[in-house]
Short mmCIF file of all heavy atoms in Angstrom, two decimals:
data_model
loop_
_atom_site.label_atom_id
_atom_site.label_comp_id
_atom_site.label_asym_id
_atom_site.label_seq_id
_atom_site.Cartn_x
_atom_site.Cartn_y
_atom_site.Cartn_z
N MET A 23 0.88 -1.11 0.07
CA MET A 23 -0.05 0.06 0.02
C MET A 23 0.90 1.14 0.01
O MET A 23 1.95 1.30 0.84
CB MET A 23 -0.86 0.01 1.13
CG MET A 23 -1.73 1.31 1.24
SD MET A 23 -2.72 1.64 2.81
CE MET A 23 -3.08 0.05 3.54
N ILE A 24 0.55 2.15 -0.85
CA ILE A 24 1.21 3.29 -0.89
C ILE A 24 0.37 4.55 -0.67
O ILE A 24 -0.58 4.63 -1.22
CB ILE A 24 1.91 3.65 -2.26
CG1 ILE A 24 2.89 2.44 -2.69
CG2 ILE A 24 2.57 4.94 -2.37
CD1 ILE A 24 3.35 2.40 -4.10
N VAL A 25 0.56 5.26 0.42
CA VAL A 25 -0.35 6.27 0.89
C VAL A 25 0.09 7.64 0.43
O VAL A 25 1.33 7.71 0.02
CB VAL A 25 -0.58 6.14 2.46
CG1 VAL A 25 -1.14 4.90 2.86
CG2 VAL A 25 0.69 6.54 3.17
N ASP A 26 -0.83 8.55 0.59
CA ASP A 26 -0.57 9.98 0.17
C ASP A 26 0.71 10.50 0.76
O ASP A 26 0.78 10.40 2.06
CB ASP A 26 -1.81 10.84 0.44
CG ASP A 26 -1.70 12.16 -0.19
OD1 ASP A 26 -1.16 12.27 -1.33
OD2 ASP A 26 -2.18 13.20 0.50
N GLY A 27 1.63 11.06 -0.10
CA GLY A 27 2.74 11.64 0.50
C GLY A 27 4.05 10.85 0.35
O GLY A 27 5.11 11.15 0.61
N ALA A 28 3.79 9.56 0.17
CA ALA A 28 4.95 8.56 -0.13
C ALA A 28 5.40 8.70 -1.54
O ALA A 28 4.63 8.86 -2.41
CB ALA A 28 4.46 7.05 0.22
N ARG A 29 6.66 8.60 -1.71
CA ARG A 29 7.22 8.56 -3.03
C ARG A 29 8.06 7.31 -3.35
O ARG A 29 8.75 6.73 -2.53
CB ARG A 29 8.26 9.73 -3.11
CG ARG A 29 7.53 11.03 -3.01
CD ARG A 29 8.61 12.12 -3.16
NE ARG A 29 7.87 13.39 -3.24
CZ ARG A 29 8.13 14.46 -3.81
NH1 ARG A 29 9.19 14.35 -4.59
NH2 ARG A 29 7.47 15.61 -3.75
N VAL A 30 7.81 6.77 -4.62
CA VAL A 30 8.54 5.46 -5.02
C VAL A 30 9.44 5.90 -6.20
O VAL A 30 8.90 6.52 -7.10
CB VAL A 30 7.52 4.44 -5.32
CG1 VAL A 30 8.27 3.23 -5.88
CG2 VAL A 30 6.75 4.14 -4.11
N GLY A 31 10.71 5.66 -6.25
CA GLY A 31 11.53 5.83 -7.35
C GLY A 31 11.11 5.10 -8.61
O GLY A 31 10.45 4.06 -8.51
N LYS A 32 11.59 5.56 -9.58
CA LYS A 32 11.41 5.08 -10.96
C LYS A 32 12.01 3.74 -11.09
O LYS A 32 13.18 3.40 -10.63
CB LYS A 32 12.05 5.91 -12.09
CG LYS A 32 12.07 5.40 -13.50
CD LYS A 32 12.78 6.33 -14.37
CE LYS A 32 12.70 5.88 -15.87
NZ LYS A 32 13.48 6.57 -16.82
N GLY A 33 11.14 2.61 -11.58
CA GLY A 33 11.59 1.33 -11.63
C GLY A 33 11.83 0.61 -10.35
O GLY A 33 12.20 -0.59 -10.36
N SER A 34 11.40 1.08 -9.32
CA SER A 34 11.42 0.31 -7.97
C SER A 34 10.25 -0.58 -7.85
O SER A 34 9.03 -0.38 -8.37
CB SER A 34 11.35 1.45 -6.81
OG SER A 34 12.58 2.02 -6.82
N VAL A 35 10.53 -1.66 -6.95
CA VAL A 35 9.49 -2.68 -6.78
C VAL A 35 9.32 -2.81 -5.35
O VAL A 35 10.32 -2.88 -4.60
CB VAL A 35 10.03 -4.00 -7.36
CG1 VAL A 35 8.92 -5.18 -7.10
CG2 VAL A 35 10.16 -3.90 -8.88
N LEU A 36 8.01 -2.86 -4.78
CA LEU A 36 7.78 -3.19 -3.46
C LEU A 36 7.30 -4.67 -3.20
O LEU A 36 6.50 -5.07 -4.01
CB LEU A 36 6.60 -2.23 -2.98
CG LEU A 36 6.97 -0.75 -2.92
CD1 LEU A 36 5.74 0.00 -2.46
CD2 LEU A 36 8.14 -0.46 -1.93
N GLY A 37 7.78 -5.30 -2.22
CA GLY A 37 7.39 -6.58 -1.89
C GLY A 37 5.93 -6.73 -1.48
O GLY A 37 5.43 -5.64 -1.07
N ALA A 38 5.26 -7.86 -1.54
CA ALA A 38 3.97 -7.95 -1.16
C ALA A 38 3.70 -7.51 0.29
O ALA A 38 4.47 -7.94 1.14
CB ALA A 38 3.48 -9.40 -1.36
N GLY A 39 2.66 -6.81 0.43
CA GLY A 39 2.21 -6.41 1.81
C GLY A 39 3.05 -5.31 2.36
O GLY A 39 2.86 -4.84 3.54
N THR A 40 3.94 -4.71 1.61
CA THR A 40 4.87 -3.51 2.03
C THR A 40 3.85 -2.27 2.14
O THR A 40 3.11 -1.93 1.13
CB THR A 40 5.87 -3.21 1.12
OG1 THR A 40 6.78 -4.30 1.17
CG2 THR A 40 6.75 -2.07 1.51
N ILE A 41 4.01 -1.60 3.26
CA ILE A 41 3.21 -0.33 3.37
C ILE A 41 4.28 0.83 3.35
O ILE A 41 5.22 0.72 4.14
CB ILE A 41 2.49 -0.31 4.82
CG1 ILE A 41 1.38 -1.44 4.86
CG2 ILE A 41 1.73 1.03 5.01
CD1 ILE A 41 0.67 -1.66 6.10
N LEU A 42 4.06 1.71 2.54
CA LEU A 42 4.91 2.91 2.49
C LEU A 42 4.08 4.14 2.72
O LEU A 42 3.15 4.45 2.00
CB LEU A 42 5.55 2.95 0.86
CG LEU A 42 6.65 3.82 0.84
CD1 LEU A 42 7.82 3.57 1.63
CD2 LEU A 42 6.93 3.82 -0.75
N ASN A 43 4.47 4.92 3.83
CA ASN A 43 3.99 6.10 4.15
C ASN A 43 5.15 7.02 4.59
O ASN A 43 6.05 6.50 4.99
CB ASN A 43 2.61 6.08 4.99
CG ASN A 43 3.04 5.69 6.44
OD1 ASN A 43 3.97 6.16 7.02
ND2 ASN A 43 2.23 4.78 6.94
N PRO A 44 4.82 8.31 4.71
CA PRO A 44 5.87 9.18 5.10
C PRO A 44 6.42 9.03 6.61
O PRO A 44 7.50 9.33 6.91
CB PRO A 44 5.22 10.57 4.96
CG PRO A 44 4.16 10.43 4.00
CD PRO A 44 3.69 9.11 4.21
N SER A 45 5.61 8.29 7.35
CA SER A 45 6.03 8.07 8.82
C SER A 45 6.83 6.83 9.06
O SER A 45 7.33 6.67 10.01
CB SER A 45 4.83 8.16 9.72
OG SER A 45 4.04 7.15 9.54
N ILE A 46 6.99 5.90 7.93
CA ILE A 46 7.71 4.72 8.13
C ILE A 46 9.01 4.90 7.52
O ILE A 46 9.08 5.26 6.33
CB ILE A 46 6.81 3.56 7.35
CG1 ILE A 46 5.57 3.28 8.20
CG2 ILE A 46 7.73 2.27 7.50
CD1 ILE A 46 4.74 2.14 7.65
N PRO A 47 10.05 4.77 8.31
CA PRO A 47 11.46 4.92 7.74
C PRO A 47 11.78 3.82 6.71
O PRO A 47 11.27 2.83 6.73
CB PRO A 47 12.20 4.87 9.03
CG PRO A 47 11.57 4.01 9.91
CD PRO A 47 10.12 4.30 9.60
N VAL A 48 12.76 4.32 5.79
CA VAL A 48 13.21 3.45 4.69
C VAL A 48 14.66 3.41 4.95
O VAL A 48 15.35 4.36 5.15
CB VAL A 48 12.91 4.03 3.28
CG1 VAL A 48 13.56 3.11 2.21
CG2 VAL A 48 11.40 4.19 3.08
N ILE A 49 15.13 2.12 5.10
CA ILE A 49 16.54 1.78 5.37
C ILE A 49 17.24 1.12 4.20
O ILE A 49 16.71 0.13 3.71
CB ILE A 49 16.67 1.04 6.69
CG1 ILE A 49 15.95 1.82 7.91
CG2 ILE A 49 18.08 0.69 7.06
CD1 ILE A 49 15.78 1.11 9.05
N ASP A 50 18.49 1.57 3.97
CA ASP A 50 19.38 0.86 2.98
C ASP A 50 20.02 -0.28 3.55
O ASP A 50 20.80 0.04 4.41
CB ASP A 50 20.23 1.87 2.16
CG ASP A 50 20.94 1.31 0.97
OD1 ASP A 50 21.17 0.07 0.98
OD2 ASP A 50 21.25 2.12 0.13
N ALA A 51 19.79 -1.52 3.17
CA ALA A 51 20.45 -2.63 3.82
C ALA A 51 21.91 -2.66 3.62
O ALA A 51 22.64 -3.15 4.43
CB ALA A 51 19.76 -3.97 3.20
N GLU A 52 22.43 -2.08 2.54
CA GLU A 52 23.83 -2.05 2.29
C GLU A 52 24.47 -1.10 3.22
O GLU A 52 25.58 -1.57 3.78
CB GLU A 52 24.18 -1.64 0.85
CG GLU A 52 23.90 -2.73 -0.26
CD GLU A 52 24.47 -2.36 -1.54
OE1 GLU A 52 25.25 -1.34 -1.65
OE2 GLU A 52 24.05 -2.88 -2.62
N THR A 53 24.01 0.00 3.45
CA THR A 53 24.77 1.03 4.24
C THR A 53 24.24 1.08 5.72
O THR A 53 24.77 1.67 6.51
CB THR A 53 24.65 2.38 3.60
OG1 THR A 53 23.15 2.77 3.66
CG2 THR A 53 25.14 2.47 2.25
N GLY A 54 22.89 0.66 5.93
CA GLY A 54 22.25 0.78 7.21
C GLY A 54 21.64 2.21 7.44
O GLY A 54 21.29 2.50 8.48
N GLU A 55 21.79 3.20 6.46
CA GLU A 55 21.40 4.48 6.66
C GLU A 55 19.84 4.56 6.30
O GLU A 55 19.38 3.87 5.44
CB GLU A 55 22.22 5.35 5.71
CG GLU A 55 23.64 5.38 6.08
CD GLU A 55 24.52 6.32 5.12
OE1 GLU A 55 23.67 7.17 4.44
OE2 GLU A 55 25.64 6.40 5.16
N GLU A 56 19.33 5.55 6.98
CA GLU A 56 17.88 5.93 6.69
C GLU A 56 17.91 6.79 5.54
O GLU A 56 18.53 7.80 5.48
CB GLU A 56 17.19 6.42 7.90
CG GLU A 56 15.70 6.56 7.85
CD GLU A 56 15.06 6.92 9.15
OE1 GLU A 56 15.51 6.56 10.22
OE2 GLU A 56 14.10 7.81 9.02
N VAL A 57 17.00 6.51 4.55
CA VAL A 57 16.73 7.44 3.43
C VAL A 57 15.46 8.11 3.37
O VAL A 57 14.59 7.52 4.11
CB VAL A 57 17.03 6.62 1.98
CG1 VAL A 57 18.48 6.15 1.99
CG2 VAL A 57 16.08 5.51 1.94
N ARG A 58 15.28 9.15 2.80
CA ARG A 58 14.03 9.89 2.75
C ARG A 58 13.28 9.33 1.69
O ARG A 58 13.50 9.26 0.48
CB ARG A 58 14.22 11.29 2.38
CG ARG A 58 14.72 12.13 3.48
CD ARG A 58 14.73 13.65 2.92
NE ARG A 58 13.47 14.21 3.31
CZ ARG A 58 13.20 15.48 2.82
NH1 ARG A 58 14.03 16.20 2.17
NH2 ARG A 58 11.99 15.95 3.15
N ALA A 59 12.07 8.62 2.17
CA ALA A 59 11.12 7.94 1.35
C ALA A 59 11.84 6.92 0.51
O ALA A 59 13.03 6.57 0.71
CB ALA A 59 10.28 8.89 0.70
N LEU A 60 11.18 6.28 -0.48
CA LEU A 60 11.86 5.40 -1.37
C LEU A 60 12.05 6.17 -2.64
O LEU A 60 11.46 5.88 -3.70
CB LEU A 60 10.97 4.14 -1.54
CG LEU A 60 11.43 3.06 -2.39
CD1 LEU A 60 12.67 2.43 -1.75
CD2 LEU A 60 10.58 1.93 -2.45
N ARG A 61 13.10 7.02 -2.51
CA ARG A 61 13.35 7.80 -3.65
C ARG A 61 14.49 7.23 -4.54
O ARG A 61 14.71 7.59 -5.65
CB ARG A 61 13.87 9.17 -3.29
CG ARG A 61 12.80 10.01 -2.55
CD ARG A 61 13.17 11.35 -2.39
NE ARG A 61 12.01 12.06 -1.77
CZ ARG A 61 12.06 13.25 -1.37
NH1 ARG A 61 13.01 13.95 -1.38
NH2 ARG A 61 10.93 13.74 -0.78
N ALA A 62 15.09 6.03 -4.05
CA ALA A 62 16.19 5.38 -4.88
C ALA A 62 15.32 4.71 -6.16
O ALA A 62 14.42 4.12 -6.04
CB ALA A 62 16.71 4.32 -4.05
N ASP A 63 15.94 5.05 -7.23
CA ASP A 63 15.52 4.38 -8.41
C ASP A 63 16.03 2.99 -8.63
O ASP A 63 17.01 2.61 -8.11
CB ASP A 63 15.95 5.24 -9.74
CG ASP A 63 15.32 6.47 -9.77
OD1 ASP A 63 14.28 6.83 -9.09
OD2 ASP A 63 15.86 7.50 -10.53
N TYR A 64 15.20 2.09 -9.32
CA TYR A 64 15.64 0.86 -9.56
C TYR A 64 16.07 -0.03 -8.41
O TYR A 64 17.12 -0.42 -8.27
CB TYR A 64 16.56 0.69 -10.69
CG TYR A 64 16.05 1.24 -11.89
CD1 TYR A 64 16.41 2.55 -12.19
CD2 TYR A 64 15.07 0.70 -12.82
CE1 TYR A 64 15.74 3.15 -13.44
CE2 TYR A 64 14.60 1.20 -13.87
CZ TYR A 64 14.91 2.52 -14.15
OH TYR A 64 14.25 3.09 -15.32
N CYS A 65 15.19 -0.26 -7.48
CA CYS A 65 15.49 -0.98 -6.18
C CYS A 65 14.40 -1.94 -5.89
O CYS A 65 13.31 -1.62 -6.21
CB CYS A 65 15.86 -0.21 -5.02
SG CYS A 65 14.72 0.88 -4.37
N VAL A 66 14.64 -2.90 -4.92
CA VAL A 66 13.68 -3.76 -4.42
C VAL A 66 13.51 -3.48 -2.94
O VAL A 66 14.52 -3.48 -2.20
CB VAL A 66 13.90 -5.22 -4.73
CG1 VAL A 66 12.89 -6.11 -4.14
CG2 VAL A 66 14.06 -5.53 -6.17
N ALA A 67 12.35 -3.13 -2.40
CA ALA A 67 12.09 -3.04 -0.90
C ALA A 67 11.08 -3.81 -0.41
O ALA A 67 10.06 -4.17 -1.05
CB ALA A 67 11.72 -1.55 -0.85
N VAL A 68 11.33 -4.22 0.92
CA VAL A 68 10.26 -5.09 1.57
C VAL A 68 10.01 -4.50 2.98
O VAL A 68 10.72 -3.78 3.46
CB VAL A 68 10.88 -6.58 1.69
CG1 VAL A 68 11.09 -7.27 0.34
CG2 VAL A 68 12.15 -6.55 2.42
N THR A 69 8.95 -5.11 3.51
CA THR A 69 8.62 -4.67 4.89
C THR A 69 9.50 -5.44 5.87
O THR A 69 9.97 -6.54 5.71
CB THR A 69 7.21 -5.29 5.20
OG1 THR A 69 6.31 -4.55 4.47
CG2 THR A 69 6.82 -4.98 6.70
N ALA A 70 9.97 -4.64 6.91
CA ALA A 70 10.96 -5.19 7.85
C ALA A 70 10.65 -4.50 9.38
O ALA A 70 9.60 -3.70 9.36
CB ALA A 70 12.42 -4.85 7.51
N SER A 71 11.39 -4.80 10.39
CA SER A 71 11.26 -4.33 11.69
C SER A 71 12.58 -3.86 12.23
O SER A 71 13.51 -4.42 11.75
CB SER A 71 10.57 -5.17 12.61
OG SER A 71 9.24 -5.54 12.19
N ARG A 72 12.54 -2.82 13.07
CA ARG A 72 13.70 -2.46 13.63
C ARG A 72 13.41 -2.13 15.08
O ARG A 72 12.37 -1.79 15.53
CB ARG A 72 14.55 -1.22 12.88
CG ARG A 72 13.71 0.05 13.03
CD ARG A 72 14.48 1.19 12.39
NE ARG A 72 13.82 2.37 12.64
CZ ARG A 72 14.27 3.64 12.40
NH1 ARG A 72 15.63 3.68 11.75
NH2 ARG A 72 13.65 4.65 12.51
N GLY A 73 14.46 -2.18 15.85
CA GLY A 73 14.34 -1.98 17.35
C GLY A 73 14.16 -0.50 17.64
O GLY A 73 14.72 0.34 17.20
N ALA A 74 13.19 -0.21 18.64
CA ALA A 74 12.91 1.18 19.10
C ALA A 74 13.91 1.59 20.12
O ALA A 74 14.47 2.71 19.94
CB ALA A 74 11.50 1.27 19.59
N SER A 75 14.22 0.62 21.03
CA SER A 75 15.21 1.02 22.02
C SER A 75 15.61 -0.34 22.71
O SER A 75 14.89 -1.36 22.49
CB SER A 75 14.59 1.90 23.13
OG SER A 75 13.70 1.19 23.96
N ILE A 76 16.73 -0.25 23.33
CA ILE A 76 17.27 -1.64 23.83
C ILE A 76 16.41 -2.01 25.04
O ILE A 76 16.16 -3.19 25.26
CB ILE A 76 18.85 -1.47 24.18
CG1 ILE A 76 19.67 -1.18 22.95
CG2 ILE A 76 19.32 -2.59 24.93
CD1 ILE A 76 21.08 -0.84 23.16
N ARG A 77 16.14 -1.01 25.97
CA ARG A 77 15.41 -1.38 27.05
C ARG A 77 13.94 -1.94 26.77
O ARG A 77 13.50 -2.85 27.54
CB ARG A 77 15.28 -0.09 28.08
CG ARG A 77 16.53 0.14 28.63
CD ARG A 77 16.17 1.35 29.66
NE ARG A 77 17.52 1.94 30.12
CZ ARG A 77 17.78 3.04 30.45
NH1 ARG A 77 16.73 3.81 30.50
NH2 ARG A 77 18.91 3.42 30.85
N ALA A 78 13.28 -1.17 25.86
CA ALA A 78 11.89 -1.56 25.68
C ALA A 78 11.70 -2.94 24.74
O ALA A 78 10.59 -3.54 24.85
CB ALA A 78 11.15 -0.39 24.89
N ARG A 79 12.64 -3.09 24.07
CA ARG A 79 12.69 -4.36 23.08
C ARG A 79 11.41 -4.24 22.15
O ARG A 79 10.56 -5.28 22.16
CB ARG A 79 12.84 -5.63 23.93
CG ARG A 79 14.10 -5.78 24.54
CD ARG A 79 14.29 -7.10 25.07
NE ARG A 79 15.52 -7.13 25.79
CZ ARG A 79 16.18 -8.13 26.22
NH1 ARG A 79 15.53 -9.42 26.01
NH2 ARG A 79 17.32 -8.09 26.95
N VAL A 80 11.14 -3.19 21.78
CA VAL A 80 9.99 -2.90 20.92
C VAL A 80 10.49 -2.90 19.44
O VAL A 80 11.47 -2.24 19.03
CB VAL A 80 9.29 -1.61 21.19
CG1 VAL A 80 8.03 -1.26 20.26
CG2 VAL A 80 8.64 -1.69 22.65
N LEU A 81 9.60 -3.52 18.67
CA LEU A 81 10.00 -3.49 17.20
C LEU A 81 9.11 -2.60 16.40
O LEU A 81 7.81 -2.66 16.61
CB LEU A 81 10.00 -4.93 16.57
CG LEU A 81 10.93 -5.93 17.11
CD1 LEU A 81 10.70 -7.27 16.51
CD2 LEU A 81 12.26 -5.48 16.86
N LEU A 82 9.47 -1.71 15.66
CA LEU A 82 8.74 -0.83 14.77
C LEU A 82 8.78 -1.12 13.34
O LEU A 82 9.95 -1.63 12.84
CB LEU A 82 9.22 0.64 15.20
CG LEU A 82 9.20 1.22 16.55
CD1 LEU A 82 9.72 2.63 16.61
CD2 LEU A 82 7.75 1.23 16.89
N PRO A 83 7.91 -0.92 12.58
CA PRO A 83 7.91 -1.13 11.14
C PRO A 83 8.88 -0.30 10.41
O PRO A 83 9.03 0.86 10.79
CB PRO A 83 6.46 -0.98 10.62
CG PRO A 83 5.87 0.08 11.68
CD PRO A 83 6.57 -0.33 12.95
N CYS A 84 9.41 -0.76 9.35
CA CYS A 84 10.34 -0.04 8.53
C CYS A 84 10.27 -0.71 7.07
O CYS A 84 9.72 -1.79 6.94
CB CYS A 84 11.68 0.16 8.97
SG CYS A 84 12.65 -1.39 8.92
N VAL A 85 10.80 0.04 6.06
CA VAL A 85 10.97 -0.58 4.72
C VAL A 85 12.40 -0.71 4.50
O VAL A 85 13.13 0.12 4.72
CB VAL A 85 10.27 0.36 3.83
CG1 VAL A 85 10.54 -0.18 2.26
CG2 VAL A 85 8.68 0.49 3.98
N LEU A 86 12.76 -1.85 4.07
CA LEU A 86 14.23 -2.11 3.82
C LEU A 86 14.47 -2.37 2.37
O LEU A 86 13.87 -3.24 1.66
CB LEU A 86 14.56 -3.46 4.62
CG LEU A 86 16.04 -3.95 4.57
CD1 LEU A 86 16.87 -2.85 5.38
CD2 LEU A 86 16.13 -5.30 5.27
N ILE A 87 15.42 -1.54 1.86
CA ILE A 87 15.83 -1.71 0.39
C ILE A 87 16.83 -2.78 0.43
O ILE A 87 17.90 -2.81 1.04
CB ILE A 87 16.57 -0.38 -0.07
CG1 ILE A 87 15.53 0.75 -0.14
CG2 ILE A 87 17.11 -0.61 -1.44
CD1 ILE A 87 16.20 2.03 -0.39
N ILE A 88 16.56 -3.92 -0.24
CA ILE A 88 17.27 -5.15 -0.17
C ILE A 88 18.25 -5.39 -1.48
O ILE A 88 19.08 -6.16 -1.48
CB ILE A 88 16.55 -6.42 0.01
CG1 ILE A 88 15.39 -6.69 -1.03
CG2 ILE A 88 15.96 -6.34 1.42
CD1 ILE A 88 14.70 -7.96 -0.96
N LYS A 89 17.73 -4.66 -2.46
CA LYS A 89 18.48 -4.83 -3.81
C LYS A 89 18.59 -3.64 -4.64
O LYS A 89 17.49 -2.89 -4.86
CB LYS A 89 17.99 -5.96 -4.51
CG LYS A 89 18.62 -6.46 -5.85
CD LYS A 89 17.91 -7.58 -6.55
CE LYS A 89 18.66 -7.96 -7.81
NZ LYS A 89 18.02 -9.09 -8.33
N ARG A 90 19.60 -3.34 -5.33
CA ARG A 90 19.67 -2.23 -6.22
C ARG A 90 19.87 -2.85 -7.53
O ARG A 90 20.59 -3.87 -7.70
CB ARG A 90 20.89 -1.30 -6.00
CG ARG A 90 20.91 -0.69 -4.69
CD ARG A 90 20.20 0.61 -4.60
NE ARG A 90 20.38 1.23 -3.30
CZ ARG A 90 19.86 2.36 -2.91
NH1 ARG A 90 19.18 3.03 -3.91
NH2 ARG A 90 19.90 2.88 -1.85
N MET A 91 19.07 -2.36 -8.59
CA MET A 91 19.18 -2.95 -9.97
C MET A 91 19.71 -1.89 -10.92
O MET A 91 19.62 -0.67 -10.66
CB MET A 91 17.87 -3.36 -10.40
CG MET A 91 17.22 -4.47 -9.39
SD MET A 91 15.52 -4.83 -9.84
CE MET A 91 14.73 -3.16 -9.55
N GLN A 92 20.25 -2.39 -12.12
CA GLN A 92 20.49 -1.54 -13.20
C GLN A 92 19.29 -1.05 -13.87
O GLN A 92 18.29 -1.88 -13.97
CB GLN A 92 21.56 -2.16 -14.16
CG GLN A 92 22.79 -2.34 -13.49
CD GLN A 92 23.77 -3.15 -14.32
OE1 GLN A 92 23.39 -3.49 -15.66
NE2 GLN A 92 24.99 -3.42 -14.05
N GLU A 93 19.24 0.02 -14.48
CA GLU A 93 18.08 0.58 -15.22
C GLU A 93 17.76 -0.45 -16.25
O GLU A 93 18.65 -0.86 -17.05
CB GLU A 93 18.41 1.97 -15.81
CG GLU A 93 17.20 2.55 -16.58
CD GLU A 93 17.40 3.93 -16.99
OE1 GLU A 93 18.46 4.47 -16.58
OE2 GLU A 93 16.72 4.46 -17.93
N GLY A 94 16.55 -0.82 -16.43
CA GLY A 94 16.00 -1.59 -17.52
C GLY A 94 16.11 -3.12 -17.13
O GLY A 94 15.68 -3.97 -17.96
N ARG A 95 16.72 -3.60 -15.98
CA ARG A 95 16.80 -4.97 -15.66
C ARG A 95 15.44 -5.48 -15.20
O ARG A 95 14.93 -4.81 -14.37
CB ARG A 95 17.98 -5.14 -14.58
CG ARG A 95 19.33 -4.84 -15.06
CD ARG A 95 19.95 -5.76 -15.83
NE ARG A 95 19.99 -7.04 -15.22
CZ ARG A 95 20.86 -7.94 -15.52
NH1 ARG A 95 21.69 -7.86 -16.54
NH2 ARG A 95 20.95 -9.07 -14.84
N ALA A 96 15.19 -6.61 -15.63
CA ALA A 96 13.86 -7.38 -15.12
C ALA A 96 13.99 -7.69 -13.74
O ALA A 96 15.17 -8.31 -13.39
CB ALA A 96 13.60 -8.40 -16.16
N THR A 97 12.97 -7.85 -12.98
CA THR A 97 13.09 -8.28 -11.56
C THR A 97 12.12 -9.42 -11.49
O THR A 97 12.17 -9.99 -10.40
CB THR A 97 12.45 -7.17 -10.56
OG1 THR A 97 11.12 -6.84 -10.94
CG2 THR A 97 13.40 -5.98 -10.71
N THR A 98 11.34 -9.78 -12.64
CA THR A 98 10.54 -10.96 -12.26
C THR A 98 11.27 -12.20 -12.63
O THR A 98 12.22 -12.39 -13.28
CB THR A 98 9.31 -10.88 -13.25
OG1 THR A 98 9.84 -10.84 -14.64
CG2 THR A 98 8.40 -9.65 -13.07
N ARG A 99 10.74 -13.36 -12.04
CA ARG A 99 11.31 -14.68 -12.13
C ARG A 99 10.83 -15.23 -13.61
O ARG A 99 9.76 -14.95 -14.08
CB ARG A 99 10.85 -15.62 -11.15
CG ARG A 99 11.44 -15.22 -9.80
CD ARG A 99 10.97 -16.32 -8.83
NE ARG A 99 10.40 -15.66 -7.71
CZ ARG A 99 9.72 -16.37 -6.92
NH1 ARG A 99 9.47 -17.47 -6.90
NH2 ARG A 99 9.30 -15.67 -5.72
N SER A 100 11.73 -15.90 -14.25
CA SER A 100 11.41 -16.64 -15.44
C SER A 100 10.44 -17.79 -15.10
O SER A 100 10.65 -18.49 -14.20
CB SER A 100 12.56 -16.96 -16.23
OG SER A 100 13.38 -17.84 -15.56
N ARG A 101 9.54 -18.08 -16.02
CA ARG A 101 8.54 -19.24 -15.74
C ARG A 101 9.13 -20.46 -16.56
O ARG A 101 9.66 -20.55 -17.47
CB ARG A 101 7.22 -18.78 -16.24
CG ARG A 101 6.71 -17.72 -15.39
CD ARG A 101 5.32 -17.38 -15.83
NE ARG A 101 4.85 -16.36 -15.01
CZ ARG A 101 3.69 -15.93 -14.95
NH1 ARG A 101 2.68 -16.49 -15.86
NH2 ARG A 101 3.32 -14.95 -14.18
#
């Protein structure tokens, strides 16, 4: 689900059940850095969780960029 205010980069793919809104952080799996929305072009992103604090042991939703692709590369499996 992509809600109002969320942005998805050109050629990007969201995994099934991924919710993208401006309040859910997007994290790059390669660098561990939080990025502003899903503005990266040609990437694959999925739903994930991250810890809110060590004491509380609470997991909060996030979106994780798990793969970067070259422009024009297919992401679907061959049948």
